[in-house]
Amino acid sequence: MLQRVQVRVTRLLEIDLMVAHDLPLASYDVLNQLAETAERRLRMNDLADRVLLSRSGLTRLIDRLQREGLVEREACASDARGLYAVLTDAGEARLAEAAPTYLRGIRTRFLDVLEPQELRQCASLLGKLLPAEIC
């Protein structure tokens, strides 16, 4: 049942973002992860872990986002093999436009459906399943 709920909510969020902003959910997730960091950048390996994509899947997604001017790649000074994905001003603006749509989708399909007690229970249960260091 958990998988069905996750897939349904994810599909509906994807539709919302595509219709309103022509932005896939995976792209929104990458932009959001980068925006949440102090320097608006993450090493590609760390970003792949955060957005639950393979390294090659993230590379293809970053290629698309870079073509759209939403992210840039930056070399890592301490590791010649390492690369950072960096959020651009255009990427930050696109995220700001899409965030209300995403948050409205979460609210209407999840938060508004559950009572406050159920939300607390859900957070507690999910917290046990996904330790904080992974989030």
Side-chain angles (χ1 to χ4, degrees):
M1 182 183 290
L2 182 61
Q3 184 180 12
R4 285 178 190 231
V5 170
Q6 184 268 331
V7 168
R8 181 174 184 272
V9 170
T10 299
R11 283 181 185 161
L12 293 171
L13 290 171
E14 174 95 18
I15 290 167
D16 291 347
L17 288 168
M18 287 300 295
V19 168
H21 307 284
D22 194 29
L23 187 69
L25 182 58
S27 298
Y28 177 89
D29 194 15
V30 165
L31 298 178
N32 190 56
Q33 292 296 326
L34 294 173
E36 288 181 349
T37 66
E39 296 179 343
R40 297 181 357 167
R41 70 181 189 161
L42 283 167
R43 288 181 64 113
M44 292 286 285
N45 287 341
D46 296 333
L47 182 57
D49 290 341
R50 287 187 183 204
V51 298
L52 306 176
L53 288 175
S54 67
R55 307 300 187 255
S56 62
L58 178 65
T59 296
R60 287 189 300 275
L61 180 53
I62 292 296
D63 287 344
R64 285 193 300 272
L65 294 172
Q66 190 170 15
R67 282 192 300 271
E68 293 178 33
L70 304 178
V71 299
E72 295 174 343
R73 283 188 174 92
E74 184 179 287
C76 177
S78 63
D79 179 2
R81 297 169 298 157
L83 285 175
Y84 286 101
V86 183
L87 183 66
T88 64
D89 291 342
E92 187 173 40
R94 186 84 173 273
L95 177 64
E97 292 170 2
T101 301
Y102 175 82
L103 295 172
R104 184 172 39 257
I106 293 293
R107 174 158 300 288
T108 60
R109 294 186 179 98
F110 190 75
L111 300 177
D112 288 348
V113 176
L114 301 174
E115 297 296 325
Q117 162 90 19
E118 292 170 320
L119 286 171
R120 286 189 295 277
Q121 256 183 322
C122 186
S124 176
L125 293 170
L126 291 174
K128 288 180 180 181
L129 297 173
L130 187 64
E133 68 270 5
I134 297 174
C135 296

